[in-house]
């Protein structure tokens, strides 16, 4: 029912260097330009758990079976948790032709054909873990890896390193844990599956309830619970919310749970009640507790599957399979005479996360104080329970569910013991130095506190947040934004938010900047301009004006062509707004204060895009009247050259506030220096000019020397590491005598004889070597 009505999600491909995002079609997934066809191709599909990576893979397989992706004659799809059990070993032949699908005849000939035609083979590893560490996988030591038994990691190492089946295509689906980009050196293409937009959420919910008498009321009920609706950006969460909503409406109730913890407790309750036949309540409770312990034991090892014969009892196995908490699968046999083995895997990552939290709550061996260590807000090391990322939230939520009769029936604890655990958490959070938490751990704290729905805790955290809140580089999902918005709204403080590189969507950005106590914010330029355009279209001029006044741009560092384009869009937006926007009080022109207040602009596009980016930048520089510091020096060297220097010099007369100009390491020669010199006197506020490490010779030095007396505001000139000889150095020194305003001239050059430079320094002590 759910997969048939699933809405097709947008795919986003990420440039590893510029991290720009572009929507692509499914048929473009395997298109890799400028790549040799004879080499193995590695494609990574990123997506949080529940985003639909497996559905995408199934759709690719389905499309292939219907004639698409005709470049592949063979497609093999493996569920990583089923093939990665540590005790299992495979040959390549067994992995392909026994585990996936066993041909009725001709296995040897088929395998030989695969080895001879690797370019026609697609291998899909769904739910792969450890890609960031693939460089440390054990090498494939087998003399005949196609035939000898290896661990799955050894086989993968051989595939990625092109020692096995070189020329095939590898497709991995991966959760975006850690910083994948900095580890993976052999990935040719990275694709990210993003979640549902609010419109797609509504469409999914509508299709889920299509034909039901309460279709409209279901959508309305879910949207009323904003927190759960925000979680519906994840397709799997949307499915769970819809299931429970269906149950609630069928029972004649009129409200949904307010937290994820309550949602999944109700989910388990409904699932077990629906199937409860010939089994006592006590037996079900015991089976659930055992299943929770299994979930935890596997979770500690970053696993979600196990051999079925390792389950503690037949009753637990039947309980888990009957209620859909487990899914069965079969292991490949090394020979026809070998007995078939079966395994079991948790049906969903959220199910396992909730059961892990339930185990920690029910486990009698765990003392109250020990429970808080599983929240791990204080640890500076890598989060020990990163794989079970929902577990701490569920655990915090369970601590405050003592009023739920079903939950109380699962535990033998009395009310006093439950209250004691609550007090332990309250005491733990009261002692936390919240202002010392890194952004990632602060966000996790907010998530956990929100799940408790305890007014004291929510207010306590809200009042202790720092005024400057940075989530720079921390992904903020729609539920994260809801939690942050809810807690900020409780505080009497004023906040400055840094939301750059957080991936926050337009609705989330709008919600946060709408808060009265958010007095300023930083966010991606493209996202901010998109929000303003939307506000303009909906004629929400009050919020448009307020949000432009709150936006902060200074300082700004341009690292990609997209940054320059976004800056141009911002200036264009201002020009449009300055022509007048019709609001309720008449025609009013709005100015974007961030443009007026930009004082420092760094330009670091590197040699590939340096000149191209600068040519675009100079067109908008005049729009920043307060610009004081323009830095074109970058570690990767922008290399704007003489053309860039000429085009930049043409806008000098408009840069009346510029005090520091850094043109170091830009491959500027005498020609560029001549163009600069002609326009430099128009920079009436310039105090520091750096031309360090360029290719300026004596002719360039002569032109600079001529204009120094006219540059009355200049205090420091740096022309080190150029190609100036003693002749050019002498001309600069002679000019320096006419410039009492200059405090320092730094001009050590390897082409100036040391004796000459030493003599010039004695003539004028302002010369620095």
């Amino acid at each position: 029912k759910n997969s048939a009505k699933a809405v097709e999600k947008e795919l986003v491909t990420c440039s590893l260097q510029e991290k720009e995002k572009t929507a692509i079609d499914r048929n473009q997934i395997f298109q890799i330009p400028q790549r040799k066809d004879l080499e193995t191709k590695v494609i990574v599909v990123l997506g949080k758990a529940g985003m639909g990576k497996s559905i995408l893979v199934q759709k690719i397989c389905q499309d292939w079976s219907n004639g698409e992706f005709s470049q592949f004659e063979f497609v093999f799809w493996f569920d990583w948790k089923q093939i990665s059990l540590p005790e299992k070993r495979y040959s390549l032949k067994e992995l392909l032709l026994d585990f996936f699908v066993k041909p009725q005849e001709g296995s040897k000939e088929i395998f030989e054909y695969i080895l001879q035609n690797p370019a026609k083979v697609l291998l899909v590893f769904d739910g792969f873990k450890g890609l960031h560490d693939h460089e440390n996988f054990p090498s494939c030591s087998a003399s005949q890896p196609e035939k000898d038994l290896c661990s799955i990691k050894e086989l993968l190492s051989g595939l990625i390193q092109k020692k096995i089946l070189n020329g095939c295509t590898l497709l991995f689906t991966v959760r975006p844990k850690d910083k994948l980009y900095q580890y993976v050196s052999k990935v040719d293409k990275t694709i990210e599956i993003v979640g549902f937009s609010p419109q797609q959420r509504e469409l999914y919910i509508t299709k889920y309830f299509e034909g039901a008498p309460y279709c409209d009321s279901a959508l309305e009920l879910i949207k009323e619970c904003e927190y759960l609706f925000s979680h519906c950006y994840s397709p799997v969460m949307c499915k769970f919310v819809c299931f429970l909503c269906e149950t609630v409406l069928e029972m004649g109730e009129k409200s949904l749970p307010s937290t994820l913890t309550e949602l999944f407790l109700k989910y388990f309750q409904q699932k077990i009640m629906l199937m409860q036949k010939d089994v006592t309540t006590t037996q079900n409770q015991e089976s659930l507790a055992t299943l929770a312990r299994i979930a935890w034991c596997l979770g500690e090892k970053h696993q979600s599957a196990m051999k079925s014969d390792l389950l503690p009892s037949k009753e637990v196995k039947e309980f888990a399979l009957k209620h859909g908490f487990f899914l069965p699968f079969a292991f490949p046999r090394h020979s026809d005479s070998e007995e078939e083995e079966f395994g079991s895997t948790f049906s969903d990552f959220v199910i396992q996360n909730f059961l892990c939290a339930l185990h920690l709550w029910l486990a009698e061996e765990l003392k109250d104080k020990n429970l808080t260590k599983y929240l791990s807000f204080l640890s500076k090391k890598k989060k020990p329970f990163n794989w079970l990322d929902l577990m701490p939230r569920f655990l915090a939520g369970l601590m405050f569910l003592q009023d739920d009769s079903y939950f109380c029936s699962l535990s033998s604890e009395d009310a006093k013991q439950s209250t004691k655990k609550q007090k332990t958490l309250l005491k733990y959070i009261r002692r936390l130095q919240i202002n010392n938490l890194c952004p990632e751990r602060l966000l996790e704290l907010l998530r956990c506190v929100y799940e408790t729905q305890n007014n004291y805790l929510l207010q306590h955290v809200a009042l202790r947040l720092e005024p400057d809140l940075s989530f720079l580089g921390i992904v903020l999902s729609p539920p994260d934004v809801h939690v942050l918005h809810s807690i900020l709204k409780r505080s009497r403080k004023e906040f400055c938010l840094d939301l750059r590189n957080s991936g926050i969507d337009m609705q989330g950005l709008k919600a946060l900047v709408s808060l009265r106590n958010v007095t300023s914010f930083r966010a991606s330029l493209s996202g901010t301009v998109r929000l303003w355009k939307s506000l303009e279209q909906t004629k929400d001029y009050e919020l448009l004006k307020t949000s432009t006044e709150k936006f902060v741009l200074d300082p700004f560092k341009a690292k990609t062509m997209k940054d320059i384009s976004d800056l141009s869009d911002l200036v264009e937006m201002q020009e449009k707004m300055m022509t007048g926007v019709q609001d309720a009080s008449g025609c009013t022109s709005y100015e974007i204060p961030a443009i007026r207040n930009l004082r420092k602009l760094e330009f670091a596009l590197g040699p590939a895009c340096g000149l191209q980016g600068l040519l675009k930048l100079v067109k908008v520089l005049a729009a920043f009247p307060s610009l004081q510091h323009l830095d074109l020096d970058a570690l990767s060297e922008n290399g704007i050259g003489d053309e860039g220097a000429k085009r930049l010099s043409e806008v000098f007369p408009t840069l009346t506030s510029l005090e520091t100009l850094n043109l170091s390491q830009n491959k500027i020669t005498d020609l560029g220096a001549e163009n600069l010199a002609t326009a430099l006197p128009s920079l009436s506020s310039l105090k520091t000019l750096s031309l360090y490490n360029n290719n300026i010779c004596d002719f360039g030095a002569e032109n600079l020397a001529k204009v120094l007396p006219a540059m009355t505001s200049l205090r420091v000139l740096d022309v080190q590491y150029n190609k100036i000889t003693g002749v050019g150095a002498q001309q600069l020194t002679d000019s320096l005598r006419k410039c009492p305003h200059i405090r320092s001239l730094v001009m050590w050059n390897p082409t100036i004889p040391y004796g000459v430079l030493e003599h010039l320094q004695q003539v004028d002590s302002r010369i620095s070597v």
Side-chain angles (χ1 to χ4, degrees), residues 590-602:
Y590 294 149
E591 183 185 19
I592 301 176
I595 291 179
R596 183 183 66 243
N597 297 331
L598 180 65
R599 288 175 170 77
K600 183 174 181 180
L601 175 57
E602 295 181 69

Side-chain angles (χ1 to χ4, degrees), residues 39 52 79 98 246 314 412 416 422 492 510 518 562 582 616 703 732:
E39 291 186 357
D79 186 333
D98 289 346
E246 189 174 25
K314 180 183 177 183
S412 59
K416 284 185 179 179
Q422 286 180 15
R492 295 187 294 269
K510 179 181 177 180
V518 171
K562 185 176 184 299
Q582 186 72 34
K616 191 165 186 175
N703 280 293
L732 286 168

Side-chain angles (χ1 to χ4, degrees), residues 287-325:
S287 295
L288 185 61
T290 304
L291 192 61
R293 187 175 69 251
I294 293 168
W296 175 250
C297 292
L298 288 175
E300 280 192 303
K301 297 181 284 188
H302 290 202
Q303 294 175 4
S304 57
M306 64 187 298
K307 292 171 69 175
S308 293
D309 57 11
L310 296 178
L311 287 167
S313 69
K314 180 183 177 183
E315 289 75 22
V316 171
K317 178 182 175 183
E318 288 179 353
F319 171 83
L321 290 172
K322 180 173 68 175
H323 294 100
F325 305 142

Side-chain angles (χ1 to χ4, degrees), residues 252-276:
E253 297 178 12
K254 295 182 179 180
S255 64
L256 286 170
S258 58
T259 66
L260 271 190
T261 310
E262 290 180 80
L263 176 78
F264 278 91
L265 185 65
K266 296 288 184 190
Y267 172 82
F268 273 83
Q269 183 181 2
Q270 292 302 320
K271 277 284 188 180
I272 292 171
M273 284 174 59
L274 287 170
M275 303 289 291
Q276 190 164 318

Side-chain angles (χ1 to χ4, degrees), residues 26 29-30 56-64 69 171:
R26 199 166 51 249
I29 288 175
F30 300 105
L56 171 66
V57 167
Q58 291 173 36
K59 182 61 176 166
I60 288 172
C61 293
Q62 184 185 48
D63 289 347
W64 172 76
F69 308 117
L171 177 66

